[in-house]
Amino acid sequence: MPRPKSDFDQLYPCDFYEPDELLDDDRMYTVYEIARLLQGVEADAELDRETEDILLDWAIPWVVFNAEDLVVAEPESDEEPGYYGLKTDGER
């Protein structure tokens, strides 16, 4: 159910990192690692499953929105996530 803005103590701008601000151009990241980075957490930080699920709610739309600036690599197995990286000039 929608809530009135007045219910909230503070409202923030909905600004997200640009891919080149978030990702190193020589690295590939899982969506879980991207989720952590978007929240200012180290990519390899240990998080409980519930927190990680919440962070994914932010990361998946970010990946979709920025898809034209990213490259994708297959996972190492069917049980692992794929990898995303910053598209470099040679890959455009």
Side-chain angles (χ1 to χ4, degrees):
M1 176 66 89
R3 294 174 52 190
K5 287 182 178 180
S6 60
D7 283 356
F8 300 92
D9 293 333
Q10 190 167 0
L11 302 174
Y12 304 92
C14 192
D15 293 332
F16 291 99
Y17 291 99
E18 294 293 323
D20 62 350
E21 297 173 321
L22 190 69
L23 308 176
D24 292 332
D25 61 1
D26 63 343
R27 300 274 185 206
M28 297 293 285
Y29 304 84
T30 67
V31 70
Y32 299 100
E33 293 164 336
I34 291 171
R36 290 179 186 94
L37 293 172
L38 284 168
Q39 296 299 317
V41 177
E42 292 293 323
D44 60 354
E46 289 291 324
L47 300 174
D48 63 75
R49 186 69 191 165
E50 185 176 299
T51 300
E52 195 159 59
D53 288 345
I54 292 168
L55 296 186
L56 282 177
D57 287 344
W58 291 88
I60 293 169
W62 184 89
V63 168
V64 171
F65 182 80
N66 291 291
E68 73 179 42
D69 295 321
L70 303 173
V71 292
V72 179
E74 293 289 328
E76 293 181 12
S77 73
D78 289 341
E79 292 79 35
E80 295 182 25
Y83 287 84
Y84 301 89
L86 187 61
K87 189 182 294 182
T88 61
D89 289 335
E91 298 162 335
R92 291 187 186 268

